[in-house]
Amino acid sequence: MDSVTIFYSQENGGIIANMNEEKLSAIRHSLAHLLATAVLEKYPDTKLAIGPVIENGFYYDFEFPAGVSITPEDLKEFQKRMKKLTNKEEPFVGREISLKEAREMFAGQPYKLELIDEFSKEGQTLTAYTNGNFVDLCRGGHVNSTKELNPDAFALTHTAGAYWRGNEKNKMLTRIYGLAFETREELDAYIAHQEEAKKRDHRKLGRELDLFTFSDLVGPGLPLFTPKGTAMRDAIIEKIHGMQKKFGYHNVSIPHITKKELYETSGHWEKFGDELFKVKGASDTEFVMKPMNCPHHTQIYASRPRSYRDLPIRYTEATAVYRDEQAGELLGLSRVRSITQDDGHIFCTIDQIEQETENIISVIREFYESLGMWSTEGSWVSLSVRDLETPEKYLGDSTHWDMAEEILEKVAQNESVPYKRVSGEAAFYGPKLDFMFKDALGRERQLATIQLDFVMPTRFSLEYTDEQGKRQTPVMIHRAIAGSLERFLAVIIEHFAGAFPLWLSPLQVKVLSIGAAHKEYAAKVCAALRETDIRAELDDSDETLGKKIRNVKLEKVPYFIVIGDQEMADEQITVESRDQRKIGMMTVDEFIRNMKAEIAGKSKQW
Amino acid sequence: MDSVTIFYSQENGGIIANMNEEKLSAIRHSLAHLLATAVLEKYPDTKLAIGPVIENGFYYDFEFPAGVSITPEDLKEFQKRMKKLTNKEEPFVGREISLKEAREMFAGQPYKLELIDEFSKEGQTLTAYTNGNFVDLCRGGHVNSTKELNPDAFALTHTAGAYWRGNEKNKMLTRIYGLAFETREELDAYIAHQEEAKKRDHRKLGRELDLFTFSDLVGPGLPLFTPKGTAMRDAIIEKIHGMQKKFGYHNVSIPHITKKELYETSGHWEKFGDELFKVKGASDTEFVMKPMNCPHHTQIYASRPRSYRDLPIRYTEATAVYRDEQAGELLGLSRVRSITQDDGHIFCTIDQIEQETENIISVIREFYESLGMWSTEGSWVSLSVRDLETPEKYLGDSTHWDMAEEILEKVAQNESVPYKRVSGEAAFYGPKLDFMFKDALGRERQLATIQLDFVMPTRFSLEYTDEQGKRQTPVMIHRAIAGSLERFLAVIIEHFAGAFPLWLSPLQVKVLSIGAAHKEYAAKVCAALRETDIRAELDDSDETLGKKIRNVKLEKVPYFIVIGDQEMADEQITVESRDQRKIGMMTVDEFIRNMKAEIAGKSKQW
């Protein structure tokens, strides 16, 4: 067998082998038939629904006879039966059948009969595929023979309830899921990857590290951030704020609602009206929750006359936007209804775009370097341009688009970022640079973004007076460094498996007293650290030191300090680090100096 | 005449003389009759509506003959005629009249006829009052004679349109407003006060100093904060954050919406359901915008088991709440729909209440001292307790209320704050300490607050495990230092008339270059200041230094730096202050050191 390059698809953590996709699909499809064969062997009265191929495998939906409930033991048995079938060398044979024949063939199968009538009404040809004694209504796409199926490269994994045709008014069926690959190595790699992903799951780590919570009373998709999670959010915002200070950004602050007229003007109402949260009070005015911040920010720009001397004007704000995601699509912090954007908008002249964009890239570079995520293998930039074949998807005039795409490409070259031109990925108002990073599990994540916009300034009639006293329209640049804080946190919790760099750690150091006599000094040390804004906690409980250290390791705190007799006598502290390295004794001041150096990304003295 | 103490009523800037209130009302009422007399002298065909006494004066609503529109000149003439009438010594004489007589007497006055019929239907006695030739339908309450009216103690001020009976379906009438007092000194004092208030109006200063703006597209009551206004907001939040750091507060972060179940549990739904903004997306779930933060914060507390060792737990967050105020009640930043609360909630044991409350008072004291507003004449604390006669207004059991009120009173005594027990001002969940301050115009403002709450922890079933391993309910303390940031900004903009203390100034220093040769050095100085987070701006325009300094004074910037030949040669800067004092030449480092000292509330070296 040819060697297979394995890579991971964006966002879903799924594995795709770049072998013959068609063949892999045939394997999975064939295994779905084998699953149904095995099920009918054991429970002949089972009603069959459908059994499609999915990413990494397949599933089949069954209505089992009354009283039968499928256990993990059943899955093992079905899997065993399937393996046996793969040894039999039975061919998959298909043929066209008439409506009448089909009705007779699937007489005891109500779901199949429903499909047969439907296909027939649509004028579709009906086909049936047979392997051994089993026959299924099916459009084909199998391996030639069961012998081609590798018995060690598939596994039944779990069951779930699923309504017939996804409609909750229909009967609830039992869905059996299977993984399937061409080789055992691929299956094992996928399972190992999934187990690692499970360990790193930000929902699990978020709970264990006490970073955020959800409440049934507040509702799904609406995370509440605990002190530790908020410390991380604040650290991210502060980090970005510090990095872009030298470029002249200013915080602004806007309300979370607006009259819909704002979005009618911006063009968002027409494009996204249905996805917006509508707000209604006692009065007649109808409000909308903001799903983005740019239109509000234009109103601050528009609040007074601007001259070329004032430009660029750079607004930044970390503020929540609200989007109504379907409950079923919500997932931890990855997909939420309240989204905190680390947002920024620059209003400038056309001549200033290049410098401003370079400044933003320099902040993005510095920020992701502080996370060790810049220029790692697999990180790249998508130069997201319009699709010239669907001009109706974009607003604004084509010469502006040409210019904007050219400027972004030039900047990407100047800044030596590895970029690819991706057609059709532009925003409706302009082209973008989207920064793609690879996480520790090889999953590609889009985080930072820079977007040029010639459209919104025109729609809001924004103006400045140029050197000649003439009125001109400014350009708008949208930018995000971390992107949505929720999604960013989900990504980096999983990337670091909770062991964050010092500057980002919710808890940076824990002070452990050995015995009762050391509590007071330990408390003093902890207070001194906090006074300098180091995130420190005290453990002066009566647990053993061993237990306290184990707790610190579980919490993945970068440093801990041990206080005993020696430390008190010398007025020093013993410092150890998360990676089990004992750093040694030093004064509190020395420790603070080194912590501050590491937090600022400078070199430490130990 | 007796000497009169003038004081200002809370919130409205109105003046009240604590002389005989009845007499003042009689004066104002009588002057309303004189106004109508004067109007009819000039326009005999005018239809009269009503002319009541209001705070500081009176008004009268008229329907003038077609084509007549009242100008400031008319007001002057009416006022002159009224003054003449006060010299005439005509008595106000009243008598009962029958319905028939009344109808004849006011035959040409449709509004009076409508009132006559209405009063008559209600079984009221009808009375008419006469002065000179003028007669009005009136219940009485006049001075004895026009002679008693001081011609120098009243003034007609302005007109406004007003619907008959306040109903927009009725005819629009012309309302003429007058001020009236007993003495000319009172009138002058009131007018001077109003002029000062107008100069300090935060809406006017907010525009001039570019602190915030409103947008027609975003909607009324929804301020957008510019970079300068946001700098003030951030400075306030940071100041409070720094002051309470030593007491162990932690930032948390919550979404702005929730399912209504949260408020059904807290009890707010029943009490405030109608005032809430309802939120509806594409899905079935109904959300509400949060009008307060406490219920959300309870859910963070409730997210894991708590032990007595964890308490007190202190959450703090500056976050926006939303309340649907009627459009007509909105007023600049004083009354808005998006309200940023500098909120905090402490969960603690009963034994910890006293210490926690004292800690909060110490933060409030330090914060208002940094504004020079602590312990000024007229500042006091309202110990807001329940009204024992209306127990149905309060939730929770009465022994808890007794205890809570006792603790707050004890703390107020311990902390030596001047307090008054105010019955009936408690929140529905517990008693409060409300901190009242007097602004530069003598207006009383309620800003900080501390509220004890035994109710909400019970309703949310909050728990902690005590030393004996038993489950206990914690107490909740609600606290705000600045209160709503919007309202706080409105108050202090007016209090300081825009000339803020250094730490709060949106712009702390402006760097002025004298000539073209000094621009580069000036820019370097400005960048060095910004690098240390001093809010500095550069004016390197080609204006004269005199013009630049005038601008700085208009902007009320605390300090400015002048850069010319001498400064460049010596590598120094010349510093001057807002109060016109030239401070002298120094190095940039020396200036930064002194700025940092003043910002931190420490003494400067110059």
Side-chain angles (χ1 to χ4, degrees):
Chain A
M1 194 179 298
D2 291 347
S3 91
V4 167
T5 313
I6 291 175
F7 66 93
Y8 299 89
S9 74
Q10 194 182 340
E11 294 300 313
N12 54 26
I15 203 169
I16 299 164
N18 65 353
M19 58 173 292
N20 189 332
E21 273 295 329
E22 219 169 292
K23 180 158 186 210
L24 198 49
S25 173
I27 289 173
R28 289 169 179 166
H29 186 178
S30 303
L31 284 164
H33 281 235
L34 256 56
L35 170 58
T37 313
V39 163
L40 286 184
E41 278 177 15
K42 186 166 185 202
Y43 299 112
D45 295 338
T46 303
K47 309 298 178 215
L48 307 179
I50 54 165
V53 169
I54 54 173
E55 200 169 16
N56 308 309
F58 58 91
Y59 69 75
Y60 211 114
D61 287 346
F62 303 102
E63 185 190 339
F64 284 96
V68 173
S69 123
I70 299 304
T71 65
E73 289 310 308
D74 289 317
L75 291 194
K76 273 188 205 156
E77 192 186 332
F78 295 150
Q79 185 166 317
K80 216 166 137 191
R81 284 174 190 265
M82 288 167 73
K83 288 195 180 186
K84 266 195 200 151
L85 292 169
T86 64
N87 287 331
K88 279 199 172 167
E89 198 158 2
E90 285 173 340
F92 285 88
V93 181
R95 64 181 180 90
E96 278 188 30
I97 48 177
S98 68
L99 177 59
K100 183 161 174 287
E101 194 176 359
R103 285 203 180 126
E104 282 165 16
M105 193 178 273
F106 295 99
Q109 292 289 352
Y111 301 108
K112 298 293 181 192
L113 288 174
E114 189 177 327
L115 293 174
I116 286 165
D117 286 350
E118 188 178 304
F119 294 161
S120 159
K121 259 185 214 147
E122 289 167 4
Q124 292 187 41
T125 307
L126 300 171
T127 50
Y129 276 79
T130 308
N131 54 297
N133 297 327
F134 177 71
V135 59
D136 204 349
L137 182 76
C138 170
R139 288 175 193 165
H142 303 87
V143 293
N144 295 317
S145 151
T146 53
K147 195 70 188 171
E148 285 177 36
L149 300 168
N150 183 338
D152 298 325
F154 75 89
L156 298 184
T157 55
H158 63 290
T159 63
Y163 294 108
W164 166 239
R165 310 206 123 178
N167 185 338
E168 61 186 22
K169 288 175 187 155
N170 293 336
K171 192 166 272 188
M172 169 83 88
L173 308 173
T174 303
R175 177 170 298 176
I176 299 180
Y177 284 95
L179 294 171
F181 295 90
E182 209 180 356
T183 67
R184 178 180 187 154
E185 291 69 32
E186 283 163 31
L187 175 66
D188 289 349
Y190 178 80
I191 291 172
H193 179 270
Q194 287 302 91
E195 273 165 14
E196 184 59 30
K198 208 182 276 176
K199 260 191 255 169
R200 289 171 179 259
D201 189 319
H202 75 277
R203 293 166 297 178
K204 176 175 159 284
L205 286 173
R207 203 163 41 239
E208 286 170 12
L209 301 177
D210 193 13
L211 301 179
F212 59 89
T213 188
F214 289 91
S215 156
D216 287 343
L217 292 172
V218 173
L222 297 169
L224 298 101
F225 291 89
T226 63
K228 284 185 182 146
T230 308
M232 292 183 74
R233 290 166 58 100
D234 290 349
I236 294 162
I237 296 164
E238 200 186 315
K239 192 84 171 178
I240 294 170
H241 188 74
M243 285 172 177
Q244 68 193 6
K245 196 165 62 185
K246 61 176 172 292
F247 297 121
Y249 282 79
H250 293 285
N251 287 343
V252 294
S253 180
I254 56 174
H256 297 82
I257 59 175
T258 175
K259 295 199 303 187
K260 72 173 184 175
E261 282 82 344
L262 190 70
Y263 298 137
E264 287 171 344
T265 307
S266 70
H268 288 98
W269 184 257
E270 201 187 330
K271 294 240 168 221
F272 306 111
D274 292 344
E275 293 163 35
L276 305 181
F277 275 120
K278 317 288 191 303
V279 176
K280 192 83 183 58
S283 69
D284 286 341
T285 319
E286 263 195 79
F287 295 100
V288 190
M289 295 202 81
K290 70 179 160 77
M292 78 289 300
N293 307 307
C294 27
H296 275 88
H297 284 179
T298 66
Q299 296 307 288
I300 300 179
Y301 179 94
S303 67
R304 50 183 54 211
R306 308 289 178 181
S307 132
Y308 71 96
R309 295 182 56 96
D310 302 325
L311 301 187
I313 287 175
R314 307 174 193 89
Y315 297 147
T316 179
E317 186 173 9
T319 176
V321 299
Y322 288 81
R323 294 175 190 170
D324 189 17
E325 303 281 351
Q326 294 200 339
E329 309 219 322
L330 299 171
L331 182 77
L333 295 186
S334 308
R335 199 84 182 254
V336 289
R337 283 170 163 148
S338 58
I339 304 157
T340 315
Q341 290 188 329
D342 116 60
D343 215 345
H345 294 102
I346 297 164
F347 302 87
C348 65
T349 67
I350 288 178
D351 293 344
Q352 290 167 336
I353 296 175
E354 195 175 318
Q355 183 62 57
E356 289 304 310
T357 309
E358 289 186 8
N359 292 351
I360 299 169
I361 292 181
S362 115
V363 173
I364 294 173
R365 175 185 288 124
E366 198 183 341
F367 181 71
Y368 286 94
E369 273 173 354
S370 79
L371 292 162
M373 291 171 80
W374 180 259
S375 284
T376 52
E377 208 189 324
S379 72
W380 61 286
V381 175
S382 164
L383 170 58
S384 304
V385 297
R386 68 200 187 284
D387 180 350
L388 291 170
E389 305 202 346
T390 55
E392 71 282 2
K393 283 169 63 183
Y394 310 97
L395 300 179
D397 88 56
S398 138
T399 50
H400 279 151
W401 274 88
D402 290 342
M403 192 188 341
E405 291 177 5
E406 197 182 307
I407 294 172
L408 286 186
E409 183 145 22
K410 184 172 166 205
V411 170
Q413 288 165 352
N414 288 352
E415 294 289 311
S416 307
V417 295
Y419 75 95
K420 290 181 222 165
R421 235 183 132 87
V422 183
S423 170
E425 283 295 306
F428 74 85
Y429 46 72
K432 310 185 285 175
L433 289 177
D434 290 323
F435 291 73
M436 319 297 285
F437 299 91
K438 219 160 228 192
D439 80 358
L441 285 182
R443 295 170 299 191
E444 202 167 71
R445 311 293 200 179
Q446 194 255 299
L447 297 170
T449 186
I450 305 174
Q451 316 185 349
L452 296 193
D453 182 354
F454 290 91
V455 174
M456 222 173 290
T458 307
R459 295 182 72 111
F460 282 108
S461 311
L462 303 185
E463 285 181 346
Y464 68 93
T465 311
D466 70 10
E467 288 91 330
Q468 282 75 46
K470 271 196 250 164
R471 288 176 172 189
Q472 301 285 357
T473 305
V475 181
M476 208 167 158
I477 306 176
H478 309 244
R479 79 103 190 85
I481 309 299
S484 133
L485 289 192
E486 288 74 18
R487 202 164 149 282
F488 180 78
L489 281 170
V491 169
I492 54 171
I493 290 169
E494 299 189 353
H495 177 66
F496 290 109
F500 306 105
L502 183 63
W503 73 263
L504 186 55
S505 282
L507 190 56
Q508 295 173 317
V509 54
K510 202 144 178 181
V511 183
L512 316 179
S513 58
I514 295 180
H518 314 121
K519 287 186 183 188
E520 194 185 325
Y521 182 63
K524 232 178 83 185
V525 168
C526 188
L529 296 177
R530 282 185 180 169
E531 188 53 38
T532 68
D533 289 325
I534 288 172
R535 295 188 287 274
E537 251 181 31
L538 176 66
D539 184 351
D540 64 354
S541 67
D542 297 328
E543 301 287 354
T544 63
L545 184 62
K547 177 83 191 293
K548 289 182 184 184
I549 292 178
R550 277 194 300 282
N551 283 342
V552 169
K553 299 251 163 96
L554 282 176
E555 288 182 85
K556 314 200 185 198
V557 188
Y559 294 100
F560 60 95
I561 287 170
V562 179
I563 304 286
D565 289 339
Q566 185 70 49
E567 286 79 8
M568 277 179 68
D570 296 357
E571 295 204 354
Q572 296 221 331
I573 58 177
T574 293
V575 178
E576 302 195 27
S577 82
R578 178 166 58 194
D579 47 21
Q580 305 203 296
R581 202 167 54 90
K582 188 155 179 165
I583 295 163
M585 277 179 67
M586 62 186 75
T587 64
V588 171
D589 283 349
E590 203 182 331
F591 177 70
I592 291 173
R593 221 166 29 245
N594 279 288
M595 292 285 280
K596 293 286 174 188
E598 185 176 342
I599 289 167
K602 294 177 192 145
S603 56
K604 291 192 299 282
Q605 299 302 310
W606 65 51
Chain B
M1 195 178 299
D2 292 345
S3 91
V4 168
T5 312
I6 293 175
F7 67 91
Y8 300 89
S9 74
Q10 194 181 341
E11 293 302 314
N12 54 27
I15 203 169
I16 300 164
N18 66 352
M19 57 175 293
N20 188 331
E21 274 294 331
E22 217 170 295
K23 181 159 184 209
L24 197 49
S25 173
I27 288 172
R28 290 169 178 167
H29 186 178
S30 304
L31 283 164
H33 281 234
L34 256 55
L35 170 58
T37 314
V39 163
L40 286 185
E41 277 176 16
K42 185 163 184 202
Y43 299 112
D45 294 337
T46 303
K47 310 297 178 214
L48 306 179
I50 54 164
V53 168
I54 54 174
E55 201 170 15
N56 308 311
F58 59 92
Y59 70 74
Y60 211 114
D61 286 346
F62 302 101
E63 185 190 340
F64 283 97
V68 172
S69 123
I70 299 303
T71 64
E73 287 310 307
D74 288 319
L75 292 193
K76 272 188 204 157
E77 192 187 332
F78 295 150
Q79 184 166 315
K80 214 166 141 191
R81 283 173 190 265
M82 286 167 74
K83 288 196 181 185
K84 264 195 200 153
L85 292 169
T86 64
N87 288 330
K88 276 198 173 169
E89 199 157 2
E90 285 173 344
F92 285 90
V93 182
R95 66 182 181 88
E96 277 188 29
I97 50 177
S98 69
L99 176 59
K100 182 162 174 284
E101 195 178 358
R103 284 202 182 126
E104 284 165 12
M105 192 179 272
F106 294 100
Q109 292 290 351
Y111 302 107
K112 298 293 179 191
L113 289 175
E114 188 177 325
L115 293 174
I116 287 164
D117 286 349
E118 187 177 305
F119 294 160
S120 159
K121 260 184 213 146
E122 288 167 2
Q124 293 187 42
T125 309
L126 300 170
T127 50
Y129 277 79
T130 307
N131 56 297
N133 296 325
F134 178 72
V135 61
D136 205 348
L137 181 76
C138 170
R139 284 172 196 166
H142 302 87
V143 294
N144 295 318
S145 148
T146 52
K147 196 69 189 172
E148 284 178 38
L149 300 168
N150 182 339
D152 299 323
F154 75 91
L156 299 184
T157 55
H158 63 289
T159 63
Y163 293 107
W164 166 237
R165 308 202 125 180
N167 185 337
E168 60 186 26
K169 289 176 188 154
N170 292 336
K171 192 165 271 187
M172 169 83 87
L173 308 174
T174 302
R175 178 170 295 174
I176 298 179
Y177 283 96
L179 294 170
F181 295 91
E182 211 180 352
T183 67
R184 176 178 189 154
E185 290 69 31
E186 284 162 30
L187 175 66
D188 289 349
Y190 178 80
I191 290 173
H193 180 269
Q194 287 302 92
E195 273 166 14
E196 185 59 29
K198 208 181 278 177
K199 259 192 256 169
R200 289 171 178 258
D201 189 319
H202 75 276
R203 294 168 295 178
K204 176 175 159 282
L205 286 173
R207 205 163 39 240
E208 286 170 11
L209 301 176
D210 193 14
L211 301 178
F212 58 89
T213 188
F214 289 91
S215 154
D216 288 343
L217 292 173
V218 173
L222 297 169
L224 299 101
F225 290 90
T226 62
K228 284 185 180 146
T230 308
M232 293 183 73
R233 290 166 58 101
D234 290 349
I236 293 162
I237 295 164
E238 198 186 317
K239 190 86 172 178
I240 294 169
H241 188 74
M243 286 172 175
Q244 68 193 8
K245 194 166 62 184
K246 61 175 173 292
F247 297 121
Y249 283 79
H250 292 285
N251 287 343
V252 294
S253 180
I254 56 174
H256 297 83
I257 62 177
T258 175
K259 294 200 302 185
K260 73 173 186 178
E261 281 83 343
L262 189 73
Y263 299 136
E264 285 170 348
T265 307
S266 69
H268 286 99
W269 185 259
E270 200 187 331
K271 293 239 168 222
F272 305 110
D274 292 344
E275 292 162 36
L276 305 182
F277 275 120
K278 316 289 192 301
V279 177
K280 194 82 183 56
S283 70
D284 286 342
T285 320
E286 262 195 80
F287 295 99
V288 190
M289 295 202 82
K290 69 178 160 74
M292 77 289 299
N293 306 307
C294 27
H296 274 87
H297 284 180
T298 65
Q299 296 307 288
I300 299 179
Y301 180 94
S303 68
R304 48 182 57 210
R306 308 289 179 180
S307 134
Y308 70 97
R309 295 182 56 95
D310 303 324
L311 302 186
I313 286 176
R314 308 172 191 91
Y315 296 147
T316 178
E317 186 174 8
T319 176
V321 299
Y322 288 80
R323 294 175 190 170
D324 190 19
E325 304 280 350
Q326 295 199 337
E329 307 217 323
L330 299 171
L331 183 77
L333 295 185
S334 307
R335 199 82 181 257
V336 288
R337 285 171 163 148
S338 58
I339 305 156
T340 315
Q341 288 187 329
D342 116 62
D343 215 344
H345 295 102
I346 296 165
F347 302 86
C348 64
T349 67
I350 288 177
D351 293 344
Q352 291 167 335
I353 297 175
E354 195 175 320
Q355 184 62 57
E356 289 303 311
T357 310
E358 289 185 7
N359 292 352
I360 299 169
I361 293 180
S362 112
V363 173
I364 294 173
R365 175 186 286 123
E366 200 183 340
F367 181 71
Y368 286 95
E369 272 173 354
S370 80
L371 292 162
M373 290 170 82
W374 180 260
S375 284
T376 51
E377 208 190 323
S379 72
W380 61 286
V381 175
S382 164
L383 170 58
S384 303
V385 298
R386 68 199 187 286
D387 182 350
L388 290 170
E389 305 202 346
T390 55
E392 72 282 1
K393 283 170 63 183
Y394 310 97
L395 300 179
D397 90 54
S398 133
T399 51
H400 279 151
W401 274 88
D402 290 343
M403 192 190 337
E405 291 176 5
E406 199 181 304
I407 294 173
L408 286 185
E409 183 144 22
K410 186 172 164 206
V411 170
Q413 286 165 353
N414 289 351
E415 293 289 312
S416 308
V417 294
Y419 75 95
K420 290 181 222 165
R421 236 183 131 86
V422 184
S423 170
E425 283 295 308
F428 73 85
Y429 47 72
K432 309 184 288 175
L433 290 177
D434 291 322
F435 291 73
M436 319 297 285
F437 299 91
K438 219 161 228 192
D439 80 357
L441 285 183
R443 294 169 300 190
E444 203 168 70
R445 310 294 199 179
Q446 194 255 299
L447 296 170
T449 186
I450 305 174
Q451 315 186 353
L452 295 193
D453 182 354
F454 290 90
V455 174
M456 223 173 288
T458 309
R459 296 183 71 112
F460 281 107
S461 310
L462 303 186
E463 285 181 346
Y464 68 93
T465 312
D466 71 10
E467 288 90 330
Q468 282 74 46
K470 272 197 250 164
R471 289 178 172 188
Q472 301 286 358
T473 304
V475 182
M476 207 167 157
I477 307 176
H478 309 244
R479 79 102 190 85
I481 309 298
S484 132
L485 289 192
E486 286 75 17
R487 203 166 147 281
F488 180 78
L489 280 171
V491 168
I492 54 169
I493 290 169
E494 298 187 353
H495 177 67
F496 289 110
F500 306 105
L502 183 62
W503 72 264
L504 186 56
S505 282
L507 189 58
Q508 294 173 315
V509 54
K510 201 145 179 179
V511 183
L512 315 178
S513 57
I514 294 181
H518 314 121
K519 287 185 183 189
E520 194 185 323
Y521 183 63
K524 232 177 82 184
V525 167
C526 188
L529 297 176
R530 283 185 180 171
E531 188 53 38
T532 68
D533 290 325
I534 288 173
R535 296 188 287 275
E537 251 181 32
L538 176 67
D539 184 353
D540 64 355
S541 67
D542 298 327
E543 300 286 355
T544 63
L545 182 63
K547 178 80 190 295
K548 290 182 184 183
I549 292 177
R550 276 194 299 282
N551 283 342
V552 170
K553 299 249 164 95
L554 283 176
E555 287 182 84
K556 313 198 185 198
V557 187
Y559 294 100
F560 60 96
I561 287 171
V562 178
I563 304 287
D565 290 338
Q566 184 72 49
E567 287 79 9
M568 277 181 68
D570 296 358
E571 293 204 357
Q572 297 221 332
I573 57 177
T574 294
V575 178
E576 303 195 27
S577 83
R578 178 164 59 193
D579 47 22
Q580 304 203 300
R581 201 166 53 89
K582 187 157 182 164
I583 295 163
M585 275 178 68
M586 63 187 75
T587 63
V588 171
D589 282 350
E590 203 182 329
F591 177 69
I592 291 172
R593 222 167 28 246
N594 278 288
M595 292 286 279
K596 293 286 174 189
E598 184 175 342
I599 289 167
K602 293 175 192 147
S603 57
K604 289 192 299 283
Q605 300 303 310
W606 66 49

